[in-house]
Amino acid sequence: MISLRRSSERHHERVMGQEFWFSFDPSASGFGSLLALVENRIPPGAGTESRSRNGDDVMTYVHEGTLAQEDGKGRTTMVQSGEFQRTSAEGHLRLSERNASESNWAHVFRIVMQAFGPDLDTSLEQRRFTIAERRGILRIVASPDGRKGSLRIRADALLYSSLLRIGQHLVHALAPGHSAWLQVVHGEIAYADFVLYSGDGASIGNEPSISFRALGDAEILLLDLGHSAVSA
């Protein structure tokens, strides 16, 4: 079963000059253990108010630009283009953020997942996954066991990233009972009988595999979700 969420169908908000696109309505429950997927464009120098995290796992992917973060204890972190960051904490983890550039916009994706496992050793972990590492393959960037150098999460999910050239084709097998979310970061891909464009997403359930092909230079994020999900 495949259900599309076109870019134009996403809930959109403009807050203090920032642009937010929510793949799921903020009042909805998401897609299985995937609670939220938000695309965020941040103007030069703009910041966000401190925000409180609950016990869920949050993956931040900086597609373009650099985020400067500060926690409640005054410690600072820089998250740069090509880097993925996982934050998780029982109780609350407070972070304030701003676009570190005074001249360029930042382009960021947030993925919030329901956490099932025990606490991790650290509430914050990040790593850069180079273009070469992600070119033409599904590179795992987050997993419960930290396989292949991926970030560790407590969610029953696997997060993959891939950059594709025109004509490149990828297949990902889904275990019985698994579902998936495919998000196009930029470009165009052919999936099943559909063409997905920048900002489009698709929920996939009760399928043995996912097979897609790039119609031009493209970038995608793929979530393999271990808990069965209903259509978003």
Side-chain angles (χ1 to χ4, degrees):
M1 182 171 59
I2 302 167
S3 179
L4 297 188
R5 181 61 50 83
R6 294 294 186 185
S7 176
S8 59
E9 297 172 343
R10 295 179 298 175
H11 177 79
H12 175 246
E13 292 183 6
R14 183 178 292 111
V15 181
M16 299 177 65
Q18 296 191 53
E19 304 280 352
F20 297 88
W21 291 269
F22 298 81
S23 291
F24 314 112
D25 188 283
S27 63
S29 58
F31 178 63
S33 57
L34 173 58
L35 303 179
L37 197 158
V38 184
E39 182 177 358
N40 181 200
R41 292 188 182 270
I42 309 171
T48 64
E49 297 179 359
S50 294
R51 63 190 188 283
S52 185
R53 309 279 202 207
N54 58 23
D56 300 320
D57 285 346
V58 180
M59 291 293 302
T60 298
Y61 169 48
V62 179
H63 180 240
E64 295 175 349
T66 300
L67 282 182
Q69 298 176 330
E70 184 175 330
D71 66 15
K73 298 181 180 180
R75 294 173 296 197
T76 59
T77 304
M78 304 294 282
V79 191
Q80 299 179 332
S81 176
E83 289 189 322
F84 289 76
Q85 181 192 74
R86 184 268 303 155
T87 56
S88 55
E90 288 300 327
H92 296 286
L93 173 65
R94 300 185 65 85
L95 288 174
S96 61
E97 293 181 336
R98 65 177 178 84
N99 181 351
S101 173
E102 297 296 332
S103 57
N104 298 310
W105 284 65
H107 187 202
V108 180
F109 287 82
R110 316 271 188 193
I111 300 168
V112 184
M113 294 171 285
Q114 185 176 1
F116 295 100
D119 291 353
L120 296 170
D121 293 336
T122 175
S123 60
L124 186 151
E125 182 185 13
Q126 71 185 59
R127 182 185 163 183
R128 174 183 299 280
F129 294 87
T130 66
I131 291 175
E133 286 182 275
R134 297 181 284 147
R135 177 71 71 190
I137 66 168
L138 285 168
R139 176 57 164 101
I140 191 164
V141 297
S143 65
D145 55 6
R147 69 188 70 171
K148 298 182 179 180
S150 60
L151 302 177
R152 289 192 63 200
I153 54 176
R154 295 170 298 160
D156 186 7
L158 304 171
L159 174 61
Y160 298 88
S161 172
S162 182
L163 294 100
L164 301 169
R165 293 191 175 95
I166 184 170
Q168 288 187 315
H169 174 234
L170 292 177
V171 178
H172 177 70
L174 289 175
H178 282 220
S179 56
W181 183 272
L182 176 64
Q183 183 69 34
V184 181
V185 175
H186 78 84
E188 301 177 14
I189 66 168
Y191 172 58
D193 295 326
F194 309 103
V195 176
L196 277 66
Y197 304 91
S198 298
D200 289 351
S203 61
I204 300 106
N206 298 318
E207 299 284 341
S209 64
I210 304 167
S211 174
F212 54 90
R213 177 172 54 88
L215 300 178
D217 287 348
E219 180 175 355
I220 62 94
L221 296 171
L222 176 65
L223 279 144
D224 183 328
L225 304 169
H227 281 64
S228 296
V230 296
S231 181

